[in-house]
Amino acid sequence: MTGHTVKLSLCIVALLLCPAIASTQTMTNMASKTGGATPQISPGRTHTTWDYVPGGVDVITGQPFKSFGSFQVAGKHVDRPVPTTYLKTLYREYTNATFKTLKPRTSEWEHLGFLGPLIRAEVGDTIQVIFRNNSKRPYSMHPHGVFYNKDSEGAPYEDGTSGADKADDGVPPGGTHKYTWQVRERAGPASGDVNSVLWMYHSHVDEHRDPNTGLVGPMIIAARGQAKPDGTPQGMDREFVVMFVQDHEEDSWHAEENLPANMATEPALLVLMTPFSATGTYPYFVTFSLNGYEHGTMPLRALTMHKGEHVRWYVFAGTNDFDAHSPHWHGNTVVINQMRTDVTSLAPMQMVTADMVPDDVGIWLFHCHISFHSAGGMVGRYAVTP
Ligand SMILES: [Cu+2]
């Protein structure tokens, strides 16, 4: 597909913010209720509800998950139950630019969770994204890695441009913008890389609050001539994209709707890891997840592979202060930059590609090795079948 314009799944990638669909589970339910039809947009809905612990069970321990927050009430430390659901604004893909029909996420990408749709291209392609903003605030799409002119950067700042070159900076509510990104050699693998690399896109109208609201998505670029007809890189049987992300829900644009109204008089306190901890971690509304899934709730069926397959993991980190992470695979090893390991490190927004040929069958832990991140929920599982 080298030299082609990538639209949709190699056709127009039509994205619309804030569908009426809540979570992956709800999407499945709605589809089954309507006889398998693709869920339609409900007018008037401008955000989505995301549950960080869908099902309400800590899958790692097998026990019901009890979410609590610590508050200062009349000078005393009080623990109270708190929800695991938050309003989020997410990128979602539609079948075409009429934005009437959501494009269903295929089963192998179910694990993407609250991330936006995967955009794929090969060096030599051009990516076009028709972006419609159905939310109540201006948002944008700012890509990493690919080449863009000033009308497709998706970030407002004093850059000496004006007019049409500013239309991408923040697409207003109800507005539409076409982003055009060239996939040049510099966006593809370098000589030391494997034959595909991970990039990302995110809203950059407010570089802090937009990602914390949920506006981040992945992009995979294959080397020239290295993409199979379905866009996947040659030689790979399976790919996974996992964002290790610390979300500050207090900095989301939905913070006022998500957090208690009396926070000024009853402030949330840092959560202690043990009763003897010298210091706390974060208030309860700072979440530590894998693609929005905490405490092992990322669907295992979507993170399952066969022994001996060539598996490529793309891992990246969020944009907050403690978004430095140490992804660790139990049971199997990976090769990163031609070096063997089972732990890697991510600085905020850093992207790493790790190849695995699993030889150890079983259900295995996959987690951040920073202990308070893992305790806070940044833990999942993957499975290797014979
Ligand atoms: Cu971490």
Side-chain angles (χ1 to χ4, degrees), residues 208 212 246 248 282 286 288 318-325 347-348 373:
H208 178 61
N212 280 303
Q246 166 193 349
H248 278 253
Y282 275 101
V286 178
F288 291 89
T319 189
N320 285 299
D321 57 346
F322 256 98
D323 267 313
H325 303 292
H373 293 188

Side-chain angles (χ1 to χ4, degrees), residues 324-326 368 370 373 378:
H325 303 292
S326 295
C368 180
I370 297 174
H373 293 188
M378 194 171 269

Side-chain angles (χ1 to χ4, degrees), residues 108-295:
E108 68 263 37
W109 292 106
E110 182 185 3
H111 67 277
L112 288 183
F114 67 15
L115 297 185
L118 172 64
I119 296 175
R120 278 191 191 279
E122 180 182 304
V123 170
D125 288 341
T126 298
I127 298 169
Q128 288 185 346
V129 179
I130 309 295
F131 172 71
R132 176 170 296 176
N133 182 356
N134 196 35
S135 77
K136 295 177 180 175
R137 291 194 47 78
Y139 290 115
S140 71
M141 292 186 71
H142 168 67
H144 285 229
V146 291
F147 179 95
Y148 41 76
N149 292 319
K150 277 295 184 183
D151 65 354
S152 291
E153 181 182 7
Y157 59 98
E158 288 301 331
D159 59 358
T161 66
S162 60
D165 281 345
K166 287 288 185 193
D168 60 303
D169 291 3
V171 179
T176 301
H177 185 76
K178 182 168 79 174
Y179 290 91
T180 301
W181 304 327
Q182 296 175 24
V183 186
R184 297 184 174 183
E185 290 287 349
R186 59 78 171 258
S191 59
D193 276 309
V194 291
N195 65 350
S196 62
V197 293
L198 178 71
W199 299 105
M200 71 177 96
Y201 56 90
H202 58 89
S203 183
H204 201 313
V205 179
D206 185 312
E207 209 271 337
H208 178 61
R209 299 196 72 174
D210 295 1
N212 280 303
T213 304
L215 290 164
V216 182
M219 179 162 52
I220 295 174
I221 303 297
R224 190 185 294 272
Q226 287 292 302
K228 291 184 277 192
D230 64 357
T232 60
Q234 299 277 0
M236 285 295 116
D237 299 308
R238 215 172 281 275
E239 296 169 289
F240 303 109
V241 176
V242 180
M243 183 186 195
F244 285 68
V245 56
Q246 166 193 349
D247 267 312
H248 278 253
E249 292 293 347
E250 82 280 20
D251 291 340
S252 160
W253 289 110
H254 295 296
E256 282 191 21
E257 302 153 282
N258 284 329
L259 302 185
N262 60 349
M263 289 274 286
T265 54
E266 297 183 356
L269 302 173
L270 305 183
V271 174
L272 300 178
M273 285 187 67
T274 80
F276 311 105
S277 292
T279 183
T281 54
Y282 275 101
Y284 73 92
F285 43 73
V286 178
T287 63
F288 291 89
S289 76
L290 307 178
N291 296 352
Y293 294 110
E294 291 186 330
H295 300 289

Side-chain angles (χ1 to χ4, degrees), residues 14-21 40-48 88-92 94 98-100 102 130-141 170-177 215 254:
L15 299 173
L16 173 57
L17 290 177
C18 316
I21 309 310
Q40 299 295 309
I41 307 162
S42 296
R45 287 291 300 274
T46 59
H47 48 250
T48 187
K88 306 286 280 185
T89 296
L90 306 174
Y91 293 116
R92 286 297 178 257
Y94 285 74
T98 64
F99 296 100
K100 289 182 178 172
L102 272 170
I130 309 295
F131 172 71
R132 176 170 296 176
N133 182 356
N134 196 35
S135 77
K136 295 177 180 175
R137 291 194 47 78
Y139 290 115
S140 71
M141 292 186 71
V171 179
T176 301
H177 185 76
L215 290 164
H254 295 296

